Amino acid sequence: MGICRNMGTQPRVQRRLGGNRAALFVYAMEGLENMAFVANAVSLVTYFFGYMNFSLTKSATTLTNFLGTAFLLALVGGLISDTYLSRFKTCVLFACMELLGYGILTVQARFHQLRPIPCKDLAPTQMSQCEAATGGHAAILYTGLYLVALGTGGIKAALPALGADQFDEKDPKEAAQLSSFFNWFLFSLTIGAIIGVTFIVWIGVNLGWDWSFIVCTLTILFAIVFICMGNSLYRNNVPKGSPLIRIIQVFVAAFRNRKLPIPDNTDKLHEIHEKRGGDNFEILKRTDQFRFFDRAAIARSSTGAATNSGPWRLCTVTQVEETKILIRMLPIIVSTIFMNTCLAQLQTFTIQQSTTMNTNLGGFKVPGPSVPVIPLMFMFVLIPLYDRVFVPLARRITGIPTGIRHLQRIGIGLVLSAVSMAVAGFVETHRKSVAIKHNMVDSREPLPISVFWLGFQYAIFGAADMFTLIGLLEFFYAESSAGMKSLGTAISWCSVAFGYFTSTVVVEVVNKVSGGWLANNNLNRDNLNYFYWLLSVLSVVNFGFYLVCASWYRYKTVENEQDDSKDNVDMA
């Protein structure tokens, strides 16, 4: 191509790549993909119960395992993107996997021969035939389900990084646009989720699950089309090799050199300053934390020059710092897991609360799985206000392109999460008082209290999610080295994954220790309000732990970049 042949015109042509125009296709894919994923996240439990004959407990466990696995599999997508494929190709590959998964689920929902006999259609004398999906039926279900999990996990790792790659953080103008990108990325995610929990959920409830899965399949197909349409505009990363291998090499080399003293003059530590063709050349400045790993960069020769001992005995300072960055990130991610544990409670117990309340809105009955549209609508309003009002004002005061630092943004979200749980406790106390006042403690009829009371806790938590989720994505992308951007964003999603996995454990432990706050299968007799307040107190404790981790963290410093990472373009 002319870009490759005519080096004299290369800078002028490359400036046309990337930017907001390229990011539009990223927004489109994220909105469409999340539309399908969130719709199933809030309603698949009814599919497992009604179509696969799973018990309520197994249905809930199957769903939380699916969601947790989907976010955890982002690590696979991140490793593939940083090691073998560009982020664009990674998005297309994993989207095709997700497309195949929805296709399998569609076929199973469409043909009753591929599903167990529904219990609800059996006469009392035939209930012995009511069996949960096993064997081939279960194999088809889990194959489709976890292809979707693998596909969405890979997309969640590579897509945010692909969009962020379209902006040069070293350019002041594009640095501000990069911060806005993450806000608008969340906005597109929110729009997709709103449509998913309303339109697609309505289709599943009224037309059947086969039509719901058909819509999800078509949605992913259009997502692939949109991301491919922008291919000629993207600034694509060139994979730099496995970041895990580089990190393991540092551990091995440091252990082998454990008896060598660290030189007083750290400039003698091994580093490659020459420009390496084909790589995004980034030299990271040495930090004083984790000094043990500096031994991996000690050259064994008497002159201090690099020896031919190989990468398993001698690493560069940049490689050592890459390892230190990952280690410093781990406490940050651990300190945000509990917030996502709280999120899991809102997605389960709050839905159950909604089933006991008046869900009529102007003559229209709001489906239970659509209740999460409340926080999404608040986020729909808050995100533009944050990006267009708060960030510019904060930028004038702090001089930071993002308005406030990433760790400050995450901290605000954690505080709001604690407030949300406290408010949820007061709302639940009011709901129970209504049940007692109207003598409806054991009634199955909806209480005379609007479901939109739940909007208070949802709205605050929606704001918390806006601060913390995107704060994490932006933080991990910005702080990761040039060779592990996708893995960095993938790690940020692990907070959500472990939040889902620990949710069940938290509920069981609290139930056992409290003597059964949530054991009556009747929210009017349970003590869900106490549980919410306990989560609020634990969230405050968790915030204290986060403050310690955040104050201990050291932001990375790029010492020198001889090759502009945005000028290194792979025309995929």
Side-chain angles (χ1 to χ4, degrees):
M1 295 181 63
I3 294 178
C4 298
R5 291 194 299 266
N6 190 349
M7 297 301 294
T9 61
Q10 186 174 2
R12 178 178 60 84
V13 175
Q14 287 182 348
R15 277 197 296 269
R16 297 177 183 175
L17 299 176
N20 287 316
R21 186 172 56 163
L24 288 175
F25 298 97
V26 174
Y27 299 145
M29 183 180 200
E30 176 57 26
L32 289 167
E33 194 278 331
N34 204 55
M35 184 190 308
F37 179 73
V38 171
N40 288 291
V42 299
S43 59
L44 263 178
V45 66
T46 61
Y47 178 72
F48 298 147
F49 180 73
Y51 277 62
M52 294 295 142
N53 299 339
F54 289 169
S55 66
L56 282 174
T57 301
K58 186 175 181 180
S59 297
T61 303
T62 302
L63 178 59
T64 53
N65 288 343
F66 162 71
L67 294 175
T69 302
F71 288 107
L72 195 61
L73 286 173
L75 292 174
V76 176
L79 285 173
I80 290 177
S81 178
D82 287 333
T83 308
Y84 303 109
L85 301 176
S86 68
R87 307 197 218 288
F88 163 71
K89 291 179 180 177
T90 303
C91 288
V92 174
L93 173 64
F94 281 88
C96 289
M97 294 181 186
E98 188 172 2
L99 180 69
L100 177 60
Y102 279 121
I104 292 173
L105 293 175
T106 299
V107 172
Q108 185 174 41
R110 187 70 174 175
F111 297 101
H112 64 85
Q113 298 92 336
L114 302 178
R115 295 181 277 108
I117 300 174
C119 296
K120 62 181 179 181
D121 296 333
L122 294 178
T125 57
Q126 298 176 307
M127 288 306 292
S128 60
Q129 302 178 31
C130 177
E131 297 180 353
T134 57
H137 295 162
I140 295 173
L141 172 67
Y142 289 123
T143 299
L145 203 60
Y146 283 94
L147 275 173
V148 171
L150 180 60
T152 192
I155 292 172
K156 290 184 186 307
L159 191 61
L162 172 63
D165 284 347
Q166 310 314 309
F167 305 94
D168 186 352
E169 56 188 339
K170 299 184 296 297
D171 181 291
K173 180 179 178 181
E174 291 198 19
Q177 292 175 336
L178 175 60
S179 177
S180 288
F181 161 76
F182 283 101
N183 294 325
W184 293 112
F185 182 84
L186 178 62
F187 189 71
S188 62
L189 180 152
T190 301
I191 292 177
I194 289 173
I195 298 174
V197 300
T198 52
F199 176 65
I200 297 182
V201 167
W202 182 89
I203 289 176
V205 171
N206 294 278
L207 301 182
W209 273 96
D210 51 345
W211 284 103
S212 176
F213 286 136
I214 287 173
V215 172
C216 290
T217 304
L218 292 175
T219 298
I220 300 303
L221 179 62
F222 281 116
I224 296 173
V225 171
F226 273 107
I227 201 67
C228 290
M229 286 173 60
N231 184 25
S232 62
L233 299 175
Y234 299 140
R235 295 165 174 169
N236 279 297
N237 69 301
V238 178
K240 296 170 64 67
S242 173
L244 284 186
I245 295 296
R246 296 195 298 273
I247 291 168
I248 294 173
Q249 286 173 342
V250 171
F251 276 87
V252 172
F255 179 78
R256 284 179 168 175
N257 297 341
R258 63 189 181 280
K259 295 182 179 179
L260 297 179
I262 299 175
D264 295 332
N265 183 5
T266 55
D267 290 337
K268 293 182 178 180
L269 294 175
H270 176 50
E271 184 59 274
I272 298 176
H273 295 276
E274 294 80 15
K275 179 177 177 179
R276 291 166 286 181
D279 287 341
N280 298 336
F281 190 36
E282 178 183 74
I283 298 178
L284 299 179
K285 187 176 181 180
R286 178 189 170 274
T287 58
D288 289 329
Q289 289 180 319
F290 310 114
R291 287 173 55 86
F292 171 79
F293 294 106
D294 291 337
R295 289 181 169 83
I298 298 177
R300 290 177 178 269
S301 66
S302 58
T303 61
T307 64
N308 295 322
S309 52
W312 295 94
R313 289 186 178 275
L314 181 63
C315 304
T316 64
V317 172
T318 292
Q319 193 175 342
V320 171
E321 287 304 312
E322 187 178 50
T323 304
K324 291 182 179 180
I325 287 171
L326 183 61
I327 296 174
R328 283 196 294 263
M329 285 177 169
L330 293 180
I332 299 296
I333 203 70
V334 169
S335 61
T336 59
I337 290 175
F338 192 77
M339 173 185 170
N340 289 295
T341 301
C342 296
L343 171 63
Q345 310 313 318
L346 287 182
Q347 291 180 333
T348 53
F349 286 116
T350 303
I351 297 297
Q352 293 182 32
Q353 286 176 282
S354 71
T355 62
T356 70
M357 305 170 78
N358 182 6
T359 59
N360 289 319
L361 176 63
F364 176 75
K365 188 174 182 179
V366 179
S370 293
V371 171
V373 76
I374 298 174
L376 294 172
M377 293 303 298
F378 277 101
M379 292 173 68
F380 180 81
V381 174
L382 289 174
I383 294 170
L385 290 175
Y386 178 85
D387 187 75
R388 296 302 182 187
V389 179
F390 175 80
V391 171
L393 289 175
R395 187 182 296 145
R396 293 174 186 173
I397 298 173
T398 64
I400 302 172
T402 56
I404 56 177
R405 293 194 179 276
H406 311 311
L407 293 178
Q408 292 172 331
R409 179 170 182 171
I410 296 170
I412 292 173
L414 295 179
V415 171
L416 291 175
S417 171
V419 174
S420 173
M421 291 297 97
V423 170
F426 288 112
V427 170
E428 172 61 8
T429 300
H430 177 61
R431 190 199 63 80
K432 286 181 63 176
S433 69
V434 171
I436 295 172
K437 179 180 179 181
H438 291 83
N439 197 25
M440 298 178 68
V441 173
D442 296 312
S443 174
R444 293 184 177 271
E445 295 297 318
L447 300 176
I449 176 175
S450 173
V451 71
F452 291 98
W453 272 89
L454 301 177
F456 291 107
Q457 63 210 54
Y458 263 146
I460 299 172
F461 202 93
D465 210 23
M466 180 190 73
F467 279 96
T468 299
L469 175 61
I470 295 303
L472 277 173
L473 282 174
E474 194 171 0
F475 168 72
F476 277 89
Y477 178 85
E479 287 299 293
S480 297
S481 65
M484 54 182 292
K485 295 290 188 183
S486 295
L487 181 61
T489 55
I491 291 173
S492 68
W493 290 112
C494 289
S495 173
V496 182
F498 287 112
Y500 280 113
F501 286 139
T502 58
S503 170
T504 303
V505 176
V506 169
V507 172
E508 290 180 354
V509 170
V510 170
N511 235 347
K512 186 174 182 179
V513 173
S514 66
W517 280 357
L518 308 170
N520 289 315
N521 290 322
N522 180 349
L523 287 182
N524 295 332
R525 292 191 177 276
D526 280 337
N527 292 297
L528 181 60
N529 51 342
Y530 295 166
F531 179 61
Y532 280 143
W533 285 328
L534 175 62
L535 291 180
S536 179
V537 172
L538 292 177
S539 295
V540 173
V541 175
N542 179 73
F543 176 67
F545 172 63
Y546 171 79
L547 287 179
V548 173
C549 297
S551 61
W552 171 78
Y553 187 84
R554 296 293 179 268
Y555 284 93
K556 78 171 185 180
T557 301
V558 178
E559 185 176 286
N560 186 25
E561 290 179 304
Q562 297 183 21
D563 184 18
D564 189 338
S565 64
K566 300 301 177 185
D567 287 343
N568 184 11
V569 180
D570 169 31
M571 298 302 293

Short mmCIF file of all heavy atoms in Angstrom, two decimals, residues 1 3 16-18 21-26 86-90 92 162 166 223-237 569-572:
data_model
loop_
_atom_site.label_atom_id
_atom_site.label_comp_id
_atom_site.label_asym_id
_atom_site.label_seq_id
_atom_site.Cartn_x
_atom_site.Cartn_y
_atom_site.Cartn_z
N MET A 1 0.84 -1.21 0.00
CA MET A 1 0.00 0.00 0.00
C MET A 1 0.87 1.25 0.00
O MET A 1 2.04 1.22 0.39
CB MET A 1 -0.90 0.01 1.24
CG MET A 1 -1.92 -1.13 1.25
SD MET A 1 -2.96 -1.06 2.71
CE MET A 1 -3.78 0.49 2.43
N ILE A 3 0.90 3.69 1.92
CA ILE A 3 1.38 4.06 3.25
C ILE A 3 2.73 3.41 3.52
O ILE A 3 3.61 4.00 4.13
CB ILE A 3 0.36 3.64 4.33
CG1 ILE A 3 -0.91 4.46 4.16
CG2 ILE A 3 0.92 3.81 5.71
CD1 ILE A 3 -1.99 4.09 5.14
N ARG A 16 -4.75 10.57 9.56
CA ARG A 16 -6.16 10.38 9.25
C ARG A 16 -6.73 9.14 9.95
O ARG A 16 -7.93 8.96 10.00
CB ARG A 16 -6.35 10.23 7.74
CG ARG A 16 -5.93 11.46 6.94
CD ARG A 16 -6.08 11.20 5.46
NE ARG A 16 -5.63 12.35 4.67
CZ ARG A 16 -5.56 12.36 3.33
NH1 ARG A 16 -5.92 11.27 2.67
NH2 ARG A 16 -5.15 13.43 2.69
N LEU A 17 -5.83 8.27 10.42
CA LEU A 17 -6.29 7.07 11.10
C LEU A 17 -6.64 7.38 12.54
O LEU A 17 -6.13 8.32 13.14
CB LEU A 17 -5.19 6.00 11.05
CG LEU A 17 -4.76 5.52 9.66
CD1 LEU A 17 -3.61 4.55 9.76
CD2 LEU A 17 -5.92 4.89 8.91
N GLY A 18 -7.50 6.55 13.10
CA GLY A 18 -7.86 6.70 14.50
C GLY A 18 -8.80 7.86 14.74
O GLY A 18 -9.50 8.34 13.84
N ARG A 21 -13.71 9.28 14.71
CA ARG A 21 -14.39 8.62 13.60
C ARG A 21 -14.21 7.10 13.68
O ARG A 21 -15.16 6.34 13.47
CB ARG A 21 -13.85 9.15 12.26
CG ARG A 21 -14.59 8.62 11.05
CD ARG A 21 -14.15 9.30 9.78
NE ARG A 21 -12.70 9.19 9.57
CZ ARG A 21 -12.11 9.42 8.41
NH1 ARG A 21 -12.84 9.80 7.37
NH2 ARG A 21 -10.81 9.30 8.29
N ALA A 22 -13.00 6.65 13.99
CA ALA A 22 -12.75 5.21 14.15
C ALA A 22 -13.44 4.66 15.39
O ALA A 22 -13.93 3.52 15.40
CB ALA A 22 -11.25 4.95 14.21
N ALA A 23 -13.50 5.48 16.45
CA ALA A 23 -14.10 5.01 17.70
C ALA A 23 -15.60 4.76 17.57
O ALA A 23 -16.17 3.97 18.33
CB ALA A 23 -13.84 6.03 18.82
N LEU A 24 -16.26 5.41 16.61
CA LEU A 24 -17.69 5.22 16.42
C LEU A 24 -18.04 3.75 16.18
O LEU A 24 -19.06 3.25 16.65
CB LEU A 24 -18.19 6.08 15.25
CG LEU A 24 -18.26 7.59 15.49
CD1 LEU A 24 -18.66 8.31 14.21
CD2 LEU A 24 -19.25 7.92 16.61
N PHE A 25 -17.19 3.05 15.43
CA PHE A 25 -17.46 1.65 15.14
C PHE A 25 -17.27 0.79 16.38
O PHE A 25 -17.94 -0.23 16.55
CB PHE A 25 -16.56 1.17 14.00
CG PHE A 25 -16.79 1.90 12.71
CD1 PHE A 25 -16.00 2.97 12.34
CD2 PHE A 25 -17.83 1.53 11.88
CE1 PHE A 25 -16.22 3.66 11.15
CE2 PHE A 25 -18.06 2.19 10.68
CZ PHE A 25 -17.26 3.26 10.32
N VAL A 26 -16.37 1.21 17.28
CA VAL A 26 -16.18 0.53 18.55
C VAL A 26 -17.42 0.70 19.42
O VAL A 26 -17.91 -0.25 20.04
CB VAL A 26 -14.93 1.06 19.27
CG1 VAL A 26 -14.81 0.46 20.67
CG2 VAL A 26 -13.68 0.76 18.45
N SER A 86 -3.89 -8.70 16.43
CA SER A 86 -4.24 -7.31 16.74
C SER A 86 -5.58 -7.30 17.47
O SER A 86 -6.34 -8.28 17.45
CB SER A 86 -4.35 -6.50 15.44
OG SER A 86 -5.47 -6.93 14.68
N ARG A 87 -5.89 -6.19 18.12
CA ARG A 87 -7.13 -6.12 18.88
C ARG A 87 -8.35 -6.23 17.95
O ARG A 87 -9.38 -6.81 18.34
CB ARG A 87 -7.17 -4.82 19.68
CG ARG A 87 -5.92 -4.64 20.56
CD ARG A 87 -6.10 -3.62 21.63
NE ARG A 87 -4.90 -2.83 21.85
CZ ARG A 87 -3.80 -3.27 22.44
NH1 ARG A 87 -3.72 -4.52 22.85
NH2 ARG A 87 -2.75 -2.48 22.60
N PHE A 88 -8.24 -5.68 16.75
CA PHE A 88 -9.34 -5.78 15.80
C PHE A 88 -9.61 -7.24 15.45
O PHE A 88 -10.77 -7.70 15.49
CB PHE A 88 -9.01 -4.99 14.52
CG PHE A 88 -9.88 -5.35 13.35
CD1 PHE A 88 -11.22 -4.98 13.32
CD2 PHE A 88 -9.36 -6.08 12.28
CE1 PHE A 88 -12.03 -5.33 12.25
CE2 PHE A 88 -10.16 -6.42 11.20
CZ PHE A 88 -11.49 -6.04 11.19
N LYS A 89 -8.58 -8.00 15.11
CA LYS A 89 -8.76 -9.40 14.74
C LYS A 89 -9.27 -10.20 15.93
O LYS A 89 -10.07 -11.14 15.76
CB LYS A 89 -7.45 -9.97 14.22
CG LYS A 89 -7.01 -9.41 12.88
CD LYS A 89 -5.68 -9.99 12.44
CE LYS A 89 -5.25 -9.42 11.08
NZ LYS A 89 -3.93 -9.92 10.65
N THR A 90 -8.82 -9.85 17.14
CA THR A 90 -9.30 -10.54 18.34
C THR A 90 -10.80 -10.32 18.53
O THR A 90 -11.54 -11.25 18.85
CB THR A 90 -8.54 -10.05 19.58
OG1 THR A 90 -7.14 -10.25 19.39
CG2 THR A 90 -8.98 -10.80 20.83
N VAL A 92 -13.05 -9.67 16.22
CA VAL A 92 -13.78 -10.41 15.19
C VAL A 92 -13.80 -11.90 15.52
O VAL A 92 -14.85 -12.56 15.42
CB VAL A 92 -13.15 -10.17 13.80
CG1 VAL A 92 -13.81 -11.06 12.76
CG2 VAL A 92 -13.28 -8.71 13.40
N LEU A 162 -8.92 -1.52 21.86
CA LEU A 162 -8.94 -1.11 20.45
C LEU A 162 -9.43 0.32 20.32
O LEU A 162 -8.84 1.13 19.59
CB LEU A 162 -9.85 -2.05 19.64
CG LEU A 162 -10.11 -1.65 18.19
CD1 LEU A 162 -8.82 -1.65 17.38
CD2 LEU A 162 -11.15 -2.56 17.55
N GLN A 166 -7.09 4.38 19.46
CA GLN A 166 -7.34 5.38 18.43
C GLN A 166 -6.98 6.79 18.87
O GLN A 166 -7.12 7.76 18.11
CB GLN A 166 -8.82 5.34 18.00
CG GLN A 166 -9.35 3.96 17.65
CD GLN A 166 -8.42 3.18 16.74
OE1 GLN A 166 -8.00 3.69 15.69
NE2 GLN A 166 -8.10 1.96 17.12
N ALA A 223 -23.01 -6.59 14.94
CA ALA A 223 -21.83 -6.08 15.65
C ALA A 223 -20.56 -6.40 14.88
O ALA A 223 -19.65 -5.56 14.76
CB ALA A 223 -21.77 -6.68 17.06
N ILE A 224 -20.48 -7.61 14.33
CA ILE A 224 -19.31 -7.99 13.52
C ILE A 224 -19.23 -7.13 12.27
O ILE A 224 -18.14 -6.67 11.89
CB ILE A 224 -19.39 -9.49 13.15
CG1 ILE A 224 -19.33 -10.36 14.41
CG2 ILE A 224 -18.28 -9.88 12.19
CD1 ILE A 224 -19.57 -11.84 14.16
N VAL A 225 -20.36 -6.89 11.64
CA VAL A 225 -20.38 -6.07 10.43
C VAL A 225 -19.88 -4.66 10.73
O VAL A 225 -19.04 -4.10 9.99
CB VAL A 225 -21.81 -6.01 9.84
CG1 VAL A 225 -21.89 -4.97 8.71
CG2 VAL A 225 -22.22 -7.38 9.31
N PHE A 226 -20.34 -4.07 11.83
CA PHE A 226 -19.95 -2.70 12.17
C PHE A 226 -18.46 -2.60 12.48
O PHE A 226 -17.79 -1.67 12.03
CB PHE A 226 -20.77 -2.19 13.35
CG PHE A 226 -22.08 -1.56 12.94
CD1 PHE A 226 -23.28 -2.21 13.17
CD2 PHE A 226 -22.10 -0.33 12.31
CE1 PHE A 226 -24.48 -1.64 12.78
CE2 PHE A 226 -23.30 0.26 11.92
CZ PHE A 226 -24.50 -0.40 12.16
N ILE A 227 -17.92 -3.54 13.25
CA ILE A 227 -16.50 -3.44 13.61
C ILE A 227 -15.63 -3.64 12.38
O ILE A 227 -14.55 -3.04 12.27
CB ILE A 227 -16.14 -4.45 14.73
CG1 ILE A 227 -14.86 -4.02 15.45
CG2 ILE A 227 -15.99 -5.85 14.19
CD1 ILE A 227 -15.00 -2.75 16.24
N CYS A 228 -16.09 -4.45 11.43
CA CYS A 228 -15.33 -4.65 10.20
C CYS A 228 -15.40 -3.43 9.28
O CYS A 228 -14.45 -3.14 8.54
CB CYS A 228 -15.83 -5.89 9.46
SG CYS A 228 -15.43 -7.46 10.28
N MET A 229 -16.50 -2.70 9.33
CA MET A 229 -16.65 -1.51 8.50
C MET A 229 -15.60 -0.45 8.82
O MET A 229 -15.21 0.34 7.95
CB MET A 229 -18.06 -0.93 8.67
CG MET A 229 -19.16 -1.72 7.99
SD MET A 229 -20.82 -1.12 8.41
CE MET A 229 -20.73 0.58 7.82
N GLY A 230 -15.12 -0.42 10.05
CA GLY A 230 -14.14 0.59 10.44
C GLY A 230 -12.70 0.15 10.30
O GLY A 230 -11.79 0.89 10.69
N ASN A 231 -12.47 -1.03 9.72
CA ASN A 231 -11.12 -1.60 9.67
C ASN A 231 -10.09 -0.67 9.03
O ASN A 231 -8.97 -0.55 9.50
CB ASN A 231 -11.16 -2.94 8.93
CG ASN A 231 -9.81 -3.64 8.94
OD1 ASN A 231 -9.00 -3.41 9.83
ND2 ASN A 231 -9.58 -4.48 7.94
N SER A 232 -10.48 -0.01 7.96
CA SER A 232 -9.53 0.84 7.24
C SER A 232 -9.17 2.10 8.02
O SER A 232 -8.24 2.82 7.63
CB SER A 232 -10.10 1.23 5.87
OG SER A 232 -11.31 1.98 6.04
N LEU A 233 -9.88 2.38 9.12
CA LEU A 233 -9.63 3.61 9.89
C LEU A 233 -8.83 3.36 11.16
O LEU A 233 -8.36 4.31 11.79
CB LEU A 233 -10.97 4.25 10.28
CG LEU A 233 -11.89 4.68 9.14
CD1 LEU A 233 -13.22 5.18 9.71
CD2 LEU A 233 -11.24 5.76 8.29
N TYR A 234 -8.68 2.09 11.55
CA TYR A 234 -8.11 1.81 12.86
C TYR A 234 -6.59 1.97 12.90
O TYR A 234 -5.89 1.66 11.94
CB TYR A 234 -8.44 0.38 13.30
CG TYR A 234 -9.90 0.09 13.45
CD1 TYR A 234 -10.43 -1.13 13.02
CD2 TYR A 234 -10.77 1.02 14.00
CE1 TYR A 234 -11.78 -1.41 13.15
CE2 TYR A 234 -12.12 0.75 14.13
CZ TYR A 234 -12.62 -0.46 13.70
OH TYR A 234 -13.96 -0.72 13.81
N ARG A 235 -6.11 2.43 14.04
CA ARG A 235 -4.71 2.29 14.41
C ARG A 235 -4.62 0.96 15.16
O ARG A 235 -5.17 0.83 16.24
CB ARG A 235 -4.26 3.43 15.33
CG ARG A 235 -4.29 4.80 14.69
CD ARG A 235 -4.19 5.86 15.78
NE ARG A 235 -4.07 7.21 15.23
CZ ARG A 235 -4.18 8.32 15.95
NH1 ARG A 235 -4.42 8.24 17.26
NH2 ARG A 235 -4.03 9.51 15.39
N ASN A 236 -3.95 0.00 14.58
CA ASN A 236 -3.91 -1.34 15.17
C ASN A 236 -2.59 -1.60 15.86
O ASN A 236 -1.52 -1.21 15.36
CB ASN A 236 -4.15 -2.41 14.10
CG ASN A 236 -5.63 -2.58 13.79
OD1 ASN A 236 -6.40 -2.97 14.64
ND2 ASN A 236 -6.03 -2.26 12.56
N ASN A 237 -2.66 -2.27 16.99
CA ASN A 237 -1.46 -2.64 17.73
C ASN A 237 -0.73 -3.78 17.03
O ASN A 237 -1.34 -4.59 16.33
CB ASN A 237 -1.81 -3.08 19.15
CG ASN A 237 -2.56 -4.41 19.16
OD1 ASN A 237 -3.63 -4.54 18.56
ND2 ASN A 237 -2.01 -5.40 19.85
N VAL A 569 1.59 1.29 12.81
CA VAL A 569 0.26 0.87 12.37
C VAL A 569 0.34 -0.42 11.59
O VAL A 569 1.15 -0.57 10.69
CB VAL A 569 -0.40 1.97 11.50
CG1 VAL A 569 -1.77 1.52 11.05
CG2 VAL A 569 -0.47 3.27 12.27
N ASP A 570 -0.47 -1.35 11.99
CA ASP A 570 -0.59 -2.60 11.26
C ASP A 570 -1.91 -2.58 10.51
O ASP A 570 -2.98 -2.57 11.12
CB ASP A 570 -0.57 -3.78 12.26
CG ASP A 570 -0.95 -5.08 11.60
OD1 ASP A 570 -0.68 -5.23 10.41
OD2 ASP A 570 -1.52 -5.94 12.31
N MET A 571 -1.86 -2.53 9.22
CA MET A 571 -3.10 -2.50 8.43
C MET A 571 -3.68 -3.91 8.37
O MET A 571 -3.32 -4.72 7.52
CB MET A 571 -2.81 -1.99 7.01
CG MET A 571 -2.29 -0.57 7.00
SD MET A 571 -3.43 0.60 7.79
CE MET A 571 -4.79 0.54 6.65
N ALA A 572 -4.53 -4.23 9.38
CA ALA A 572 -5.06 -5.59 9.48
C ALA A 572 -6.00 -5.88 8.33
O ALA A 572 -6.70 -5.02 7.85
CB ALA A 572 -5.80 -5.75 10.81
#
